[in-house]
Structures are given as C-alpha cells and as structure tokens.
Amino acid sequence: MQSFLQEVDQNFDSFFNEVEANISSVIADNNAYKDKFKESYRRLVSYQAWKSEILEKIACDESLQFFTEAQNDGLMSHALARQGSWRVALMSLRSCIENTVFGLYYLEHPVELKLWAKNKHKLGFTETITYLAKHPSFIDINEPSILGIEALKNEYATLSKAVHGSSKLFRMTKTGSIEGLNITSMPDFGGWQSRERAVLNALNLLLTTFFKEDLVGSANANLRKAVSIAVSSDKFVKIKEHYRINLNK
C-alpha cells in the first residue's frame, strides 16, 4: 500500500505543477487579446451601475444579493476565460442569467423571498422568464426585440448545452481524451466572447425594460452611459422610440 500511495503522490505532484504551468501559459497567450477583454470588462460595468444607481436604493439586502451574485458570475466568467477554462466560463454566464431573473422576481415577492431563505421556495429559469414576459413592464411593449426576453431564452438554451456537455461544441474532451482544464483556443475564445456579448446585451435590455421609468430623459445619466456600452447600438433608436430613453456611445 505504501508504494502505491507513493506512486499516486508522485502523479499528484506532476498534476499539481502542470495545472499551475498551464494556467500561466494560457494567461500569457490570452494577454495578446487584452483589448477584447477590456471590451468585456466595460460591458460588465453595467452591473455595478445598475446596483449603485437603482437596486441598492430599492432592494432589500436579501434580494440585492442575487444581483451581487450575478455581477460576480459575470466577473468570474471573464476571469475564467482569461485562464482558458472555457466551459466553466460559459457556466458562469448561465448563472449570471439565473441570478438576474431570480433577483427581479424576488424584488417584488418578499413573502416568497422569506420562504426561499428557509429553503421552502425554488424558482426555475423557464417559469421566471415566463413571469417576467407577463409583467406589466413588458406586456404593453409591441417591440419584442428590445425586451430582452427572447434573446435571453435563446442564450440560456445555448449555455445550458455547455453546462450539461450535451453539444460537441462545448465538450471539454472534444477528441475523446482530456485536453486540459486550461487551454489556448481561438475558437473557444471567439465562442465565449460572442456568448458574453449577447448575454450582457440581453440582460441589459431586460433590466432597461423593467426599470425604464427610471431612465427617461436625463435621469440616471451614468447608468445610461454604462448601459449604452453593453446594449447593441442597433437597438438605440427603438429604445428611444418606445421608452423615451436616450442611449448613445
């Protein structure tokens, strides 16, 4: 048994050192794309803006924690992508979606929030996004492309394939052998970047629709600046037309 454990421990030492070396190597490779990661960070600033300008003023501590977790999920996805941990980076984006929509639900359901704290209430993404689609803030808007609902449903479905490894595109062992937890891969980087951009766009559209009355005209100028970075500019005209909100880059 002792010799067996010594062999296992030797393998552990090799694995332990290899993980550190792989992470350092991948980060060094991805530093070449600093400008792309800067764009990601700029989009993520929108979450801090939503929290400081709106949510911290109206949300109780318990419901605010959902949005804080969503912000952490976004930052975690960014950090994991830099390390070349592509699948878990996508998993973090999925969690960012969940925490955001759950936060909006519990923001208006204090009783259910108390039950959730006692492990007696549980939400799912589908039921929550269906609730939001029927919310007064959404039902009277006849321009689906700026609601964020359909875009978020599509992104959630795509990211769920990454979480469950149900698509070859997102498998960690694409060739049938372990390729490493941290790898340099331009296709994976491009895929993560596309998903991250689309998720932040959809979530900011959702939040803009939910809180549109707080952004009209000259209100919350700094928040509108942050949202303008995260939301696709081709939505600006329709957002102004339907919400009277001015976004510009």
Side-chain angles (χ1 to χ4, degrees):
M1 176 61 75
Q2 187 61 36
S3 61
F4 174 76
L5 288 176
Q6 287 177 346
E7 182 178 352
V8 170
D9 289 347
Q10 288 174 357
N11 290 334
F12 163 73
D13 287 336
S14 297
F15 179 73
F16 188 87
N17 294 329
E18 183 181 355
V19 168
E20 182 177 358
N22 283 346
I23 291 175
S24 298
S25 176
V26 173
I27 288 177
D29 290 340
N30 282 338
N31 283 346
Y33 309 107
K34 183 177 179 179
D35 286 346
K36 298 298 183 182
F37 283 106
K38 183 190 294 184
E39 292 174 5
S40 164
Y41 186 84
R42 287 176 174 176
R43 290 190 288 268
L44 288 168
V45 166
S46 61
Y47 259 81
Q48 181 59 35
W50 282 111
K51 283 178 56 186
S52 62
E53 300 298 314
I54 301 290
L55 294 165
E56 289 177 355
K57 299 174 183 178
I58 64 172
C60 66
D61 289 341
E62 289 80 3
S63 60
L64 184 62
Q65 286 176 12
F66 283 93
F67 298 102
T68 299
E69 282 300 303
Q71 182 181 24
N72 286 341
D73 289 331
L75 290 168
M76 181 70 74
S77 179
H78 177 103
L80 288 166
R82 279 201 66 201
Q83 298 175 27
S85 297
W86 305 111
R87 182 174 170 185
V88 284
L90 295 173
M91 292 167 67
S92 293
L93 283 180
R94 183 179 186 261
S95 184
C96 180
I97 293 174
E98 290 175 336
N99 276 310
T100 301
V101 298
F102 295 165
L104 289 176
Y105 177 89
Y106 284 124
L107 190 66
E108 297 186 330
H109 292 81
V111 174
E112 286 79 2
L113 181 59
K114 290 180 180 179
L115 290 172
W116 174 86
K118 297 178 180 292
N119 295 317
K120 296 183 180 298
H121 191 266
K122 185 177 180 180
L123 286 172
F125 171 78
T126 300
E127 65 178 290
T128 310
I129 203 70
T130 298
Y131 161 79
L132 289 173
K134 297 177 180 178
H135 190 279
S137 296
F138 291 81
I139 57 175
D140 293 330
I141 308 301
N142 58 3
E143 182 49 63
S145 69
I146 61 173
L147 297 179
I149 295 287
E150 291 304 315
L152 212 53
K153 287 165 64 175
N154 291 336
E155 287 304 314
Y156 191 82
T158 300
L159 292 169
S160 292
K161 295 178 182 178
V163 171
H164 300 298
S166 55
S167 170
K168 289 183 179 180
L169 177 65
F170 298 119
R171 286 179 183 168
M172 294 291 283
T173 56
K174 299 187 184 87
T175 62
S177 61
I178 297 176
E179 297 177 345
L181 299 175
N182 308 89
I183 59 174
T184 300
S185 170
M186 276 308 298
D188 286 320
F189 174 77
W192 169 79
Q193 186 182 33
S194 295
R195 298 280 66 75
E196 193 258 8
R197 184 190 299 113
V199 166
L200 267 295
N201 172 69
L203 287 172
N204 273 274
L205 287 174
L206 188 82
L207 290 166
T208 297
T209 303
F210 196 91
F211 295 111
K212 56 183 175 293
E213 299 302 326
D214 296 293
L215 298 171
V216 172
S218 60
N220 287 304
N222 286 333
L223 174 55
R224 285 187 289 107
K225 289 177 183 178
V227 171
S228 296
I229 296 173
V231 168
S232 177
S233 58
D234 63 5
K235 300 292 189 292
F236 289 4
V237 172
K238 290 182 179 179
I239 287 173
K240 184 174 183 179
E241 177 184 348
H242 291 274
Y243 297 164
R244 296 179 294 121
I245 296 172
N246 295 309
L247 300 179
N248 48 79
K249 294 184 178 179

